[in-house]
Amino acid sequence: MSVPMEELKLEIVNAATGKPLGARAVPGADGALVVRDFPDEGPGPEQWRLVPAQSAQDEQALVIHDATDGKALDRPAGANGGVRRQDAADGRKSQQWRVVPVEGAAGLYFIENATDDTVLDLDPDGADENGTPVVLRAYDEDVESQRWRLVPARPERVGDLVLRWAPLDHWNGRRSWRLARSAALRPVPGATPSFSDVLLVLDRFGSDPDAGGWKSEGAAPSPGGRPGRWAGLGARLLADTTGEGRADILGLKPAKGVVTAACRGDGTFEDEERVLHPSSPASGHADLWTLADMTGGGEPAAVVLAADGVRISPRREDGTFEPAAGDPVLKAFGHGEEAGGWLADKHPRFLADTTGDGRLDIIGCHDDGVRISLQDEDGTFAPLAGDPVIKAFGHGEEAGGWLADKHPRFLADTTGDGRLDIIGCHDDGVWTSLQDEDGTFAEPLYVLDDFGTAQGWASADEHPRFLLRTTGDGTADIVGFGPHGVVIARGRGDGTFEPPKLVLNDFGTAQGWTAGKHLRLLTDVTGDGNPDIVGFGNEGVWVSHNLGDGRFEQAQLVCRGFGYDDDAGAWRIGHHPRFLADVTGDGRLDIVGFGGPGVYVARNLHRRFKTR
């Protein structure tokens, strides 16, 4: 686990015993600390905060504070003395600690004192009914009692309990009713942003037979509803097809092509299902589709990764797109052998402006490495060279053995020069390849030992990772939903990243969020330009606001719908796509979901948006 930020409370648990660090059952005057059991009926174990020490000599030094009274963890004065909780933190060296990851053991740490590099350990000879004393000893990598786990406190989510009428049976057989608490929650009156009730606005595009019997068979679009991610047959998504600032419904329908229901601008959609982009006779189940502005002129185009290569269809005056006919614009990046044999479950492909000229290029990670086709001023694409631009980030062993379901890869400007670099999270951590002025890419550098499977990030689905700017400084950061919550590694502006920090004790697997039940994404729902955290959880939609300085607020329930629980609609991953998109044209994101009976919308009411 990444070292938590100072705002987060956590327990410090010994790996050998599974018991947390705290005071004796009968505290002594010396403040000595032990590990011990804490009975359910009594007070819970102490919680701690890790605060950077103001030490010019040691940037990694931390002060470990008791979260309740502010007392600091202190080194004993005598040899083999018990570690204690000192009355006040005064900056002395004995109160400075380093939290050092245990190599090869994700989530475990040595806690090392800055004075003499000794580490926290246990003294079993001093154990009694009050606990096992915590002492300092010389480092020994084979001693399990020197290993510690940092366990964040439960998140302090904001939501109101719902009362229900519960039956009450009497001795004479009669029944009455009383108000009782339920497991359901609803947004508090001050939740931000505020959404309307969930309404069924269209009885089409649903998974029920009466609503079309839609079923996704290919790649799924981005949960944020933004174009640029590939969609397969049966997928439903939202995109502005007219340039009017409102998101329309799109669906990839077998034998018909892409059909649409136009947005009316009031949160509802036209009942007519119009063909937007007809399929061609050569269309297949493995084709992938997206909508993108390829030239930077503001006009979207339909882009298809077909069997024979890349096909691009311009938009007509009536708002539809030309059928995919004739030769492809590029005989590459397709799933047929003649176009390279690119497979959705092995070879990620991107549309991105890699050079800063405003036009989208095509980039893909094949077996042998990264391949790029640049778009010129005439809208034509350069044929692929014989060799990849870099023999890395590919599926084959010679290019690193990158797997689509475990190793996310990104294109982002990590240096501020306007050119996109390649960043990937492999088993051992983060690798970066910088692009130089002539468009070539440097050999990958290992820049961070986190966000990889070796550090507990099991898969791309279970632990989503993003590369985007989270503050106003213009530098791309790595954001991930890790085992213990939300982790951020700040970009330094040179292709490297600062050590990652746990910034929020929520939205992780430790708090019950799983890929099989919940969606998690980053998008700006407050209008301040910084991405907020949005999660479709059990009880509904939760939002954690970005404070703009690297911190996030505790999550608030903002919509009692679109969630996994029956009380929140019983929405299911793989059956019910959900998005945040503007369907009213007011510039604010609404919630749109494709349920069984059709399309549901919760409009953004704006009135409780925060101003910053």
Side-chain angles (χ1 to χ4, degrees), residues 351-356 363 411-414 417-423 433-436 441:
L351 295 175
D353 178 11
T354 63
T355 62
I363 307 96
L411 295 165
D413 180 7
T414 64
D417 60 5
R419 296 182 296 272
L420 298 186
D421 310 304
I422 305 170
I423 304 93
S433 175
L434 300 181
Q435 182 184 180
D436 62 21
F441 288 83

Side-chain angles (χ1 to χ4, degrees), residues 87-451:
D87 286 341
D90 53 15
R92 71 183 71 172
K93 195 75 175 285
S94 63
Q95 293 180 355
Q96 297 181 18
W97 305 85
R98 304 184 197 99
V99 178
V100 182
V102 177
E103 186 174 354
L108 295 180
Y109 296 87
F110 299 106
I111 300 178
E112 177 182 272
N113 190 256
T115 302
D116 56 6
D117 298 341
T118 53
V119 298
L120 292 190
D121 200 347
L122 302 183
D123 178 16
D125 294 336
D128 56 25
E129 66 277 5
N130 288 318
T132 303
V134 177
V135 296
L136 283 168
R137 290 214 172 100
Y139 162 76
D140 187 338
E141 63 179 3
D142 296 324
V143 175
E144 189 177 8
S145 59
Q146 293 185 1
R147 302 180 179 191
W148 301 82
R149 194 180 306 277
L150 307 179
V151 181
R154 291 176 59 86
E156 299 172 2
R157 298 173 181 162
V158 180
D160 272 353
L161 292 171
V162 175
L163 296 179
R164 286 185 168 176
W165 290 105
L168 185 63
D169 294 324
H170 298 275
W171 64 270
N172 57 4
R174 299 185 64 181
R175 171 174 289 186
S176 60
W177 300 84
R178 62 183 177 86
L179 284 174
R181 297 172 64 172
S182 73
L185 294 177
R186 62 186 174 197
V188 295
T192 57
S194 176
F195 289 91
S196 70
D197 291 336
V198 179
L199 299 175
L200 178 66
V201 299
L202 186 65
D203 57 359
R204 296 177 182 267
F205 297 98
S207 56
D208 291 351
D210 292 343
W214 285 78
K215 181 182 179 181
S216 298
E217 300 179 18
S222 163
R226 298 179 295 275
R229 289 284 298 271
W230 305 106
L233 198 64
R236 290 146 287 167
L237 59 153
L238 295 155
D240 181 6
T241 65
T242 63
E244 296 179 357
R246 301 192 301 265
D248 306 306
I249 294 172
L250 305 177
L252 278 68
K253 198 166 191 176
K256 292 189 72 172
V258 180
V259 298
T260 184
C263 180
R264 292 189 176 117
D266 59 357
T268 66
F269 300 88
E270 299 287 348
D271 191 43
E272 177 188 6
E273 191 178 283
R274 187 166 63 116
V275 176
L276 186 73
H277 185 216
S279 60
S280 69
S283 297
H285 280 254
D287 290 357
L288 299 177
W289 188 95
T290 195
L291 197 67
D293 177 6
M294 296 298 295
T295 63
E299 278 290 319
V303 184
V304 180
L305 301 179
D308 55 357
V310 181
R311 294 180 172 274
I312 298 178
S313 300
R315 184 173 178 267
R316 295 165 167 165
E317 290 186 1
D318 64 357
T320 63
F321 294 86
E322 297 283 352
D327 292 331
V329 299
L330 183 64
K331 293 182 179 180
F333 298 106
H335 52 85
E337 289 301 321
E338 68 273 25
W342 294 72
L343 303 177
D345 60 348
K346 290 185 178 181
H347 309 130
R349 284 152 284 178
F350 309 89
L351 295 175
D353 178 11
T354 63
T355 62
D357 61 4
R359 297 182 294 273
L360 297 187
D361 310 305
I362 306 173
I363 307 96
C365 302
H366 208 284
D367 290 335
D368 55 356
V370 179
R371 294 182 174 272
I372 296 179
S373 175
L374 300 179
Q375 182 184 182
D376 63 21
E377 295 179 358
D378 299 325
T380 59
F381 290 84
L384 295 187
D387 292 326
V389 297
I390 181 171
K391 294 181 180 180
F393 301 102
H395 181 80
E397 288 300 321
E398 70 277 9
W402 292 73
L403 305 178
D405 61 342
K406 288 188 175 182
H407 307 135
R409 281 149 280 179
F410 310 94
L411 295 165
D413 180 7
T414 64
T415 62
D417 60 5
R419 296 182 296 272
L420 298 186
D421 310 304
I422 305 170
I423 304 93
C425 303
H426 208 287
D427 291 335
D428 53 356
V430 180
W431 292 79
T432 297
S433 175
L434 300 181
Q435 182 184 180
D436 62 21
E437 294 181 358
D438 60 3
T440 60
F441 288 83
E443 283 298 308
L445 292 176
Y446 181 60
V447 296
L448 196 63
D449 57 349
D450 208 332
F451 299 102

